Amino acid sequence: MASLQNLVCSVSKQLEPVACFQLAVPNCAATTKLNRAPPSAVAASSIQGSLDDTKVTKRRLALLGAGALATGLLRTSSAAFAEEVPKNYKSYVDAKDGYSYLYPAEWRDFDFLGHDSAFKDRNLALQCVRVGFIPTEKTDIRDLGPMDEAIFNLVNNVYAAPNQIPSIYDMQERTVDGKNYWTFEYDLEAPGYGVSAFATVAIGNGRYYTLIVTANERRWSRLRNRLKVVADSFKISDLTA
């Protein structure tokens, strides 16, 4: 448990808040609306550094691969990559890094600092999804401990900036092809501003994966169901040598 606390402390200092850009709000003490004592910390869910040209090229190739998948031209052994894409969504498939997810069809890809892939609304920057991963020796998300404690610490100690007040509303676990996923809904509020989000976390291939999809808090009621599809679509697959 001490190693998990150290990992959170070291990585959380380098992480951006859940918004798709840094909020320029004076710092204030961050609190939580959950009425429980803070439990033990968990591993951080983002990675450091910017995407280079190689990653951008890889992302575009993955998009091409997703299109080929939809027309039956791409074959893969993972059932996670073979499902039908719903109307008004597109599929992003990264077979090299072992994950896939859906995103709204009108969103475009962009570079998000420290993440492996990202898409956003063409007009509203806060409406975005991004995926990142970091190395881990854990083999399953349940290795982090009880779900409510782990998510509490993740939102409060990693996702929330010092000037943001976090609130957690829902936590769910699902199991697909023997792999466990945690999906949870939360808000990050700053003076005069708020961001709502879903996050899905999973562990596999020696990696701690995180997908986060966000929107402005004022638009959340209209977008929530649509963005929940994105959060629930995230899947990881076994890497082949």
Side-chain angles (χ1 to χ4, degrees):
M1 186 60 66
S3 62
L4 287 177
Q5 293 173 333
N6 293 336
L7 182 55
V8 167
C9 292
S10 63
V11 180
S12 61
K13 294 178 181 178
Q14 304 167 3
L15 295 175
E16 299 173 300
V18 72
C20 289
F21 52 83
Q22 179 69 42
L23 299 178
V25 182
N27 288 341
C28 63
T31 60
T32 178
K33 293 184 179 179
L34 291 181
N35 186 21
R36 62 166 68 100
S40 56
V42 296
S45 67
S46 185
I47 54 176
Q48 182 183 1
S50 60
L51 292 171
D52 55 18
D53 292 340
T54 301
K55 279 195 171 184
V56 173
T57 301
K58 183 202 71 173
R59 180 187 306 161
R60 301 192 188 282
L61 289 174
L63 288 170
L64 292 174
L69 173 63
T71 58
L73 299 178
L74 180 66
R75 296 288 183 257
T76 176
S77 60
S78 173
F81 294 164
E83 296 182 356
E84 182 179 356
V85 177
K87 184 179 180 181
N88 299 324
Y89 291 90
K90 291 184 179 180
S91 176
Y92 179 81
V93 179
D94 189 339
K96 179 180 179 181
D97 288 313
Y99 69 90
S100 66
Y101 60 94
L102 302 175
Y103 64 93
E106 72 275 14
W107 288 12
R108 62 181 179 85
D109 67 313
F110 76 111
D111 293 345
F112 194 102
L113 182 65
H115 291 74
D116 191 65
S117 64
F119 296 85
K120 68 177 179 179
D121 187 278
R122 294 179 181 274
N123 301 311
L124 301 171
L126 273 184
Q127 291 176 204
C128 66
V129 59
R130 72 267 195 183
V131 172
F133 51 83
I134 57 174
T136 181
E137 295 182 358
K138 305 294 185 183
T139 59
D140 189 274
I141 199 68
R142 293 177 179 175
D143 294 342
L144 300 178
M147 179 174 67
D148 59 341
E149 295 182 3
I151 291 174
F152 180 96
N153 280 282
L154 191 59
V155 174
N156 282 270
N157 298 331
V158 178
Y159 295 170
N163 63 314
Q164 293 175 317
I165 300 174
S167 300
I168 302 171
Y169 296 107
D170 187 38
M171 306 178 189
Q172 299 175 348
E173 180 180 283
R174 60 185 168 92
T175 302
V176 180
D177 296 332
K179 296 179 175 61
N180 298 312
Y181 303 80
W182 291 346
T183 297
F184 46 99
E185 179 181 359
Y186 62 96
D187 288 342
L188 297 178
E189 295 184 11
Y193 202 81
V195 176
S196 298
F198 286 113
T200 296
V201 294
I203 290 178
N205 303 314
R207 300 172 177 183
Y208 184 124
Y209 294 88
T210 300
L211 175 146
I212 297 178
V213 56
T214 69
N216 188 297
E217 187 178 33
R218 293 191 298 270
R219 297 177 55 85
W220 189 247
S221 61
R222 286 175 286 175
L223 296 169
R224 182 185 183 278
N225 291 343
R226 191 180 191 201
L227 300 186
K228 184 65 158 56
V229 172
V230 177
D232 288 342
S233 71
F234 182 71
K235 295 177 182 177
I236 57 177
S237 62
D238 295 331
L239 297 179
T240 58

